PDB file of all heavy atoms in Angstrom:
ATOM      1  N   LEU S 658      -6.894   5.206   6.312  1.00  0.00           N
ATOM      2  CA  LEU S 658      -6.915   5.675   7.704  1.00  0.00           C
ATOM      3  C   LEU S 658      -8.031   6.803   7.873  1.00  0.00           C
ATOM      4  O   LEU S 658      -8.892   6.646   8.783  1.00  0.00           O
ATOM      5  CB  LEU S 658      -5.589   6.240   8.184  1.00  0.00           C
ATOM      6  CG  LEU S 658      -4.528   5.187   8.385  1.00  0.00           C
ATOM      7  CD1 LEU S 658      -3.156   5.933   8.594  1.00  0.00           C
ATOM      8  CD2 LEU S 658      -4.813   4.230   9.461  1.00  0.00           C
ATOM      9  N   LEU S 659      -8.128   7.701   6.953  1.00  0.00           N
ATOM     10  CA  LEU S 659      -9.092   8.733   6.967  1.00  0.00           C
ATOM     11  C   LEU S 659     -10.492   8.196   6.758  1.00  0.00           C
ATOM     12  O   LEU S 659     -11.488   8.733   7.323  1.00  0.00           O
ATOM     13  CB  LEU S 659      -8.820   9.841   6.012  1.00  0.00           C
ATOM     14  CG  LEU S 659      -7.512  10.624   6.343  1.00  0.00           C
ATOM     15  CD1 LEU S 659      -7.204  11.630   5.282  1.00  0.00           C
ATOM     16  CD2 LEU S 659      -7.563  11.286   7.702  1.00  0.00           C
ATOM     17  N   ARG S 660     -10.619   7.180   5.891  1.00  0.00           N
ATOM     18  CA  ARG S 660     -11.962   6.549   5.639  1.00  0.00           C
ATOM     19  C   ARG S 660     -12.521   6.021   7.005  1.00  0.00           C
ATOM     20  O   ARG S 660     -13.764   6.042   7.127  1.00  0.00           O
ATOM     21  CB  ARG S 660     -11.844   5.473   4.607  1.00  0.00           C
ATOM     22  CG  ARG S 660     -12.282   5.928   3.235  1.00  0.00           C
ATOM     23  CD  ARG S 660     -12.474   4.745   2.290  1.00  0.00           C
ATOM     24  NE  ARG S 660     -11.270   3.867   2.086  1.00  0.00           N
ATOM     25  CZ  ARG S 660     -10.234   4.306   1.329  1.00  0.00           C
ATOM     26  NH1 ARG S 660     -10.197   5.346   0.698  1.00  0.00           N
ATOM     27  NH2 ARG S 660      -9.227   3.449   1.273  1.00  0.00           N
ATOM     28  N   LEU S 661     -11.674   5.522   7.838  1.00  0.00           N
ATOM     29  CA  LEU S 661     -12.234   5.004   9.129  1.00  0.00           C
ATOM     30  C   LEU S 661     -12.944   6.036   9.891  1.00  0.00           C
ATOM     31  O   LEU S 661     -13.848   5.723  10.633  1.00  0.00           O
ATOM     32  CB  LEU S 661     -11.084   4.296   9.825  1.00  0.00           C
ATOM     33  CG  LEU S 661     -11.419   3.560  11.139  1.00  0.00           C
ATOM     34  CD1 LEU S 661     -12.355   2.459  10.833  1.00  0.00           C
ATOM     35  CD2 LEU S 661     -10.114   2.985  11.737  1.00  0.00           C
ATOM     36  N   LEU S 662     -12.550   7.295   9.760  1.00  0.00           N
ATOM     37  CA  LEU S 662     -13.209   8.308  10.441  1.00  0.00           C
ATOM     38  C   LEU S 662     -14.725   8.556   9.955  1.00  0.00           C
ATOM     39  O   LEU S 662     -15.548   9.022  10.793  1.00  0.00           O
ATOM     40  CB  LEU S 662     -12.548   9.633  10.278  1.00  0.00           C
ATOM     41  CG  LEU S 662     -11.112   9.836  10.865  1.00  0.00           C
ATOM     42  CD1 LEU S 662     -10.475  11.082  10.341  1.00  0.00           C
ATOM     43  CD2 LEU S 662     -11.248   9.882  12.385  1.00  0.00           C
ATOM     44  N   SER S 663     -14.957   8.067   8.785  1.00  0.00           N
ATOM     45  CA  SER S 663     -16.316   8.220   8.246  1.00  0.00           C
ATOM     46  C   SER S 663     -17.176   6.978   8.527  1.00  0.00           C
ATOM     47  O   SER S 663     -18.396   6.982   8.239  1.00  0.00           O
ATOM     48  CB  SER S 663     -16.323   8.491   6.730  1.00  0.00           C
ATOM     49  OG  SER S 663     -15.650   9.646   6.424  1.00  0.00           O
ATOM     50  N   GLN S 664     -16.624   5.916   9.054  1.00  0.00           N
ATOM     51  CA  GLN S 664     -17.308   4.660   9.251  1.00  0.00           C
ATOM     52  C   GLN S 664     -18.088   4.525  10.428  1.00  0.00           C
ATOM     53  O   GLN S 664     -18.794   3.523  10.712  1.00  0.00           O
ATOM     54  CB  GLN S 664     -16.353   3.461   9.028  1.00  0.00           C
ATOM     55  CG  GLN S 664     -15.818   3.409   7.571  1.00  0.00           C
ATOM     56  CD  GLN S 664     -14.763   2.320   7.451  1.00  0.00           C
ATOM     57  OE1 GLN S 664     -14.367   1.669   8.338  1.00  0.00           O
ATOM     58  NE2 GLN S 664     -14.288   2.226   6.186  1.00  0.00           N
ATOM     59  N   GLY S 665     -18.029   5.489  11.336  1.00  0.00           N
ATOM     60  CA  GLY S 665     -18.841   5.570  12.566  1.00  0.00           C
ATOM     61  C   GLY S 665     -18.854   6.923  13.082  1.00  0.00           C
ATOM     62  O   GLY S 665     -18.363   7.910  12.395  1.00  0.00           O
ATOM     63  N   HIS S 666     -19.432   7.064  14.307  1.00  0.00           N
ATOM     64  CA  HIS S 666     -19.572   8.415  14.882  1.00  0.00           C
ATOM     65  C   HIS S 666     -19.018   8.497  16.318  1.00  0.00           C
ATOM     66  O   HIS S 666     -19.177   9.534  16.859  1.00  0.00           O
ATOM     67  CB  HIS S 666     -21.026   8.833  14.787  1.00  0.00           C
ATOM     68  CG  HIS S 666     -21.575   9.044  13.484  1.00  0.00           C
ATOM     69  ND1 HIS S 666     -21.191   9.991  12.584  1.00  0.00           N
ATOM     70  CD2 HIS S 666     -22.462   8.335  12.794  1.00  0.00           C
ATOM     71  CE1 HIS S 666     -21.702   9.893  11.463  1.00  0.00           C
ATOM     72  NE2 HIS S 666     -22.582   8.930  11.538  1.00  0.00           N
ATOM     73  N   GLY S 667     -18.424   7.484  16.838  1.00  0.00           N
ATOM     74  CA  GLY S 667     -17.890   7.535  18.140  1.00  0.00           C
ATOM     75  C   GLY S 667     -16.384   7.419  18.183  1.00  0.00           C
ATOM     76  O   GLY S 667     -15.755   6.729  17.336  1.00  0.00           O
ATOM     77  N   GLY S 668     -15.717   8.101  19.071  1.00  0.00           N
ATOM     78  CA  GLY S 668     -14.350   8.103  19.243  1.00  0.00           C
ATOM     79  C   GLY S 668     -13.889   8.689  20.487  1.00  0.00           C
ATOM     80  O   GLY S 668     -14.645   8.945  21.416  1.00  0.00           O
TER      81      GLY S 668
END
Side-chain angles (χ1 to χ4, degrees):
L658 290 170
L659 294 175
R660 262 193 301 282
L661 189 54
L662 292 168
S663 297
Q664 293 175 357
H666 294 292

